[in-house]
Amino acid sequence: MSLVTPEFGLLFWMVVIFGLVFFLLAKFGFPIITDSVDKRSAKIAQSLKDADEIAARMEAWKVEQAQLLEKTRREQSAILKEATETKARIVADARTQARAEADKILAEAKLQIAAEKESALRDVRREVALLGVQVAEKVLRHELSDEGSQRAFLDQLVDEANETPIRS
Amino acid sequence: MRRWLLILLSLFLCTAVHAEEDINISEIIFEHIGDEYEWHITEWKGKPIAIPLPCIVVENGVKIFTAHHAEEHGYTFNENGKLVNANTGKRPIDLSITKNVLALIMSSLLLLIVVLITARWYKQHDSLEEAPTGLASAMEPLIAMVHEMARENIGPDYRKFSPYLCMAFLWILFNNFLGIMPFFPGGANLTGNIAITLVLALFTFFTVNLNGTKHYYKEIFAPEVPGFLKPIMPVIEVFSAFMKPVSLTIRLFANMLAGHIMILSMVCIIFIVAKYGPLLGSSMTVVSVLFGVFLDALECLVAFIQAYVFTMLSSIYIGLARAHEE
């Protein structure tokens, strides 16, 4: 059977041609292609790993961000509370201070008013006294225009002085 | 519907024309699956159209002539259609560029060009930045598949063997598909030829055994087995090492040959039944065309599977030879 007996010629040519093509392709063909494919596979694997890492980092970052936000909020409320307290204290302080000031001013004013009143009263008194003296002078001058009445009046004064003790 | 009728009618006419000829089916089939000293393409008006090929004979020097002039150089053809010395009747060293050798040259050139063009694409482009286009996009999945297979089966030093596996896979694949093609430049039954598959298997055999590790040879010649098996095991192991290429040879050879014979037989049914009358002839024609389509589709599948299986087994054998002590 020629079907199952290998022909020498075909064996020879197959070895030569297959060998030659294999030599050429193993040198200039397949390694270039497989290297590129390998490089790309490596890059894809690396990229996937990187993406995972980034996702994990993002997750951590998110948690951190939430914590930071929470902390900030707490701080904010604390600051606000403190500010409110400070405000209340300042207002209260101001109020007491103002009251004290006002009291002081009032007291001073009262004192001054009292002093003014005193001096005014003294003036009025002095005026009244002067007026009284003047009126008395005029009355006296009118009544003591004659000798007889002058004498009568002097007598009367002496009487009176005898009756009442002398005031300081 | 009308188109189908037209096809049926034309098939019927074809069979009617050839009905007168008495045909020798086994001759036709063996001509197609065998080898020739010229490439017979078709017949036109009773004359054969063929590509004449050089016969190269080494016997007392190199002689080159075409098959038509064989007798002038003292050669004739034996019953198998092979060149023999006209005086002694012996086969000379026959290095003729036969139909199969021409097909071998053409398909190998095709493979060479296709892979070099693909490699050029990778040289000119940055494969990290852009996806392959054109031929490279078609070839990359195949090469990447074989490369991956090598990585899985061979182990850490798979890079050394990946080119051989790629070469074997693509070469078998190309030639299987060219073999299914019914017209020139395909149609040569190359991977269904035992000489070709033998050489392929021997390449694998030498790749395996020239790269065997100490551990591999220890497993063959001094395996760790119970005492009474000690004398038997090396015999079995050596036998098995030699049977591996034989099984590779015959698996590919038989599968591709059987596929070719099945398809040719389906086509030949048309011509066999033609002489039993137009009714049987045309109805069987329809049946055999349908079966022919089915078998062609099947052969496309087999063409891929056989290339894959050959490569897969080669990589496993290499992987076994590269095994190290655990």
Side-chain angles (χ1 to χ4, degrees):
Chain A
M1 275 294 279
S2 68
L3 266 184
V4 288
T5 46
E7 276 293 322
F8 176 76
L10 200 52
L11 281 175
F12 172 79
W13 287 115
M14 177 64 184
V15 170
V16 170
I17 294 168
F18 188 89
L20 198 67
V21 172
F22 172 54
F23 174 76
L24 287 174
L25 288 185
K27 221 169 170 61
F28 306 112
F30 295 121
I32 294 166
I33 300 169
T34 49
D35 281 357
S36 296
V37 171
D38 277 351
K39 247 185 253 162
R40 197 173 46 203
S41 304
K43 193 199 172 189
I44 290 169
Q46 187 60 44
S47 301
L48 284 174
K49 219 172 97 190
D50 286 355
D52 279 351
E53 238 165 60
I54 287 168
R57 212 177 297 159
M58 283 286 279
E59 204 58 42
W61 184 68
K62 231 180 241 173
V63 169
E64 199 179 313
Q65 197 188 22
Q67 279 172 352
L68 202 68
L69 207 67
E70 187 58 32
K71 195 176 148 201
T72 312
R73 201 166 289 153
R74 239 182 291 131
E75 254 168 41
Q76 187 197 24
S77 64
I79 289 170
L80 272 177
K81 206 170 136 197
E82 203 176 318
T84 316
E85 276 169 10
T86 311
K87 186 182 113 188
R89 206 177 59 233
I90 288 171
V91 168
D93 279 4
R95 202 168 282 160
T96 41
Q97 215 170 349
R99 191 166 296 149
E101 198 77 10
D103 283 354
K104 206 169 122 193
I105 289 169
L106 214 63
E108 265 172 23
K110 266 180 192 161
L111 258 161
Q112 210 163 354
I113 287 167
E116 294 277 318
K117 201 170 136 192
E118 197 61 29
S119 86
L121 274 175
R122 204 178 299 139
D123 279 0
V124 167
R125 233 175 253 146
R126 193 179 295 141
E127 282 302 309
V128 169
L130 272 175
L131 268 176
V133 170
Q134 276 170 356
V135 167
E137 194 184 293
K138 274 177 186 160
V139 169
L140 280 179
R141 202 176 287 154
H142 175 70
E143 280 189 358
L144 301 179
S145 45
D146 57 300
E147 191 82 21
S149 55
Q150 280 176 4
R151 191 70 58 127
F153 183 62
L154 281 174
D155 291 339
Q156 188 188 346
L157 281 180
V158 172
D159 290 343
E160 274 173 18
N162 288 336
E163 282 170 19
T164 49
I166 300 160
R167 274 161 57 182
S168 64
Chain B
M1 194 63 207
R2 192 188 287 170
R3 197 187 298 157
W4 283 107
L5 281 174
L6 210 66
I7 290 170
L8 275 180
L9 189 68
S10 56
L11 285 172
F12 168 70
L13 284 175
C14 287
T15 54
V17 166
H18 283 87
E20 305 124 38
E21 290 178 29
D22 202 21
I23 48 171
N24 184 345
I25 297 301
S26 69
E27 195 179 278
I28 291 176
I29 290 179
F30 275 84
E31 187 204 311
H32 275 89
I33 61 176
D35 207 353
E36 296 171 301
Y37 288 99
E38 56 176 22
W39 197 322
H40 182 236
I41 294 171
T42 184
E43 269 181 34
W44 185 250
K45 289 178 181 165
K47 279 185 185 169
I49 295 178
I51 300 173
L53 297 170
C55 298
I56 303 170
V57 171
V58 182
E59 196 180 36
N60 307 324
V62 181
K63 289 169 196 158
I64 301 174
F65 49 87
T66 61
H68 294 291
H69 303 90
E71 268 155 46
E72 294 163 29
H73 290 80
Y75 291 97
T76 183
F77 298 95
N78 67 8
E79 70 277 9
N80 286 327
K82 302 292 179 197
L83 273 174
V84 285
N85 194 310
N87 300 324
T88 60
K90 277 186 188 162
R91 293 272 287 131
I93 296 174
D94 183 1
L95 299 180
S96 303
I97 306 295
T98 58
K99 175 184 169 185
N100 277 345
V101 176
L102 183 63
L104 170 66
I105 292 170
M106 288 194 302
S107 65
S108 298
L109 269 180
L110 181 69
L111 178 64
L112 188 70
I113 291 165
V114 164
V115 176
L116 286 182
I117 289 175
T118 308
R120 206 184 59 161
W121 188 93
Y122 285 95
K123 253 189 227 163
Q124 290 178 344
H125 297 75
D126 183 5
S127 71
L128 293 182
E129 300 301 328
E130 37 190 324
T133 52
L135 207 53
S137 70
M139 296 305 291
E140 195 199 287
L142 295 173
I143 293 171
M145 182 187 82
V146 179
H147 191 60
E148 185 63 21
M149 190 199 286
R151 197 178 62 76
E152 277 172 13
N153 291 333
I154 295 176
D157 50 357
Y158 71 100
R159 265 163 207 293
K160 196 175 146 197
F161 302 101
S162 163
Y164 169 68
L165 294 173
C166 288
M167 174 73 192
F169 177 77
L170 289 179
W171 196 89
I172 295 170
L173 190 72
F174 270 49
N175 281 291
N176 283 354
F177 276 110
L178 283 170
I180 297 171
M181 249 169 77
F183 45 81
F184 185 84
N189 177 30
L190 212 50
T191 42
N193 188 302
I194 199 159
I196 300 290
T197 59
L198 180 65
V199 173
L200 285 169
L202 285 178
F203 268 100
T204 295
F205 177 78
F206 284 117
T207 310
V208 168
N209 289 291
L210 294 180
N211 290 294
T213 56
K214 255 185 212 160
H215 181 67
Y216 170 71
Y217 282 113
K218 187 174 162 281
E219 283 292 303
I220 289 181
F221 294 113
E224 284 171 26
V225 287
F228 67 95
L229 282 175
K230 286 247 189 234
I232 312 170
M233 282 309 282
V235 179
I236 295 174
E237 288 288 350
V238 168
F239 184 71
S240 137
F242 281 96
M243 281 320 283
K244 279 170 185 168
V246 173
S247 74
L248 282 178
T249 306
I250 292 176
R251 182 181 299 108
L252 182 58
F253 160 71
N255 270 289
M256 296 321 293
L257 185 71
H260 279 261
I261 291 177
M262 279 198 296
I263 292 173
L264 287 169
S265 307
M266 274 301 143
V267 177
C268 284
I269 283 177
I270 299 171
F271 303 107
I272 294 171
V273 294
K275 61 183 163 196
Y276 299 117
L279 183 67
L280 188 63
S282 48
S283 54
M284 275 310 286
T285 299
V286 174
V287 171
S288 65
V289 165
L290 289 177
F291 266 92
V293 170
F294 168 71
L295 282 175
D296 259 328
L298 186 71
E299 272 311 290
C300 288
L301 187 67
V302 171
F304 184 86
I305 290 174
Q306 286 307 318
Y308 187 82
V309 165
F310 188 96
T311 317
M312 173 68 105
L313 288 174
S314 294
S315 69
I316 289 172
Y317 294 157
I318 295 171
L320 289 176
R322 299 301 297 168
H324 291 277
E325 213 117 21
E326 271 114 41

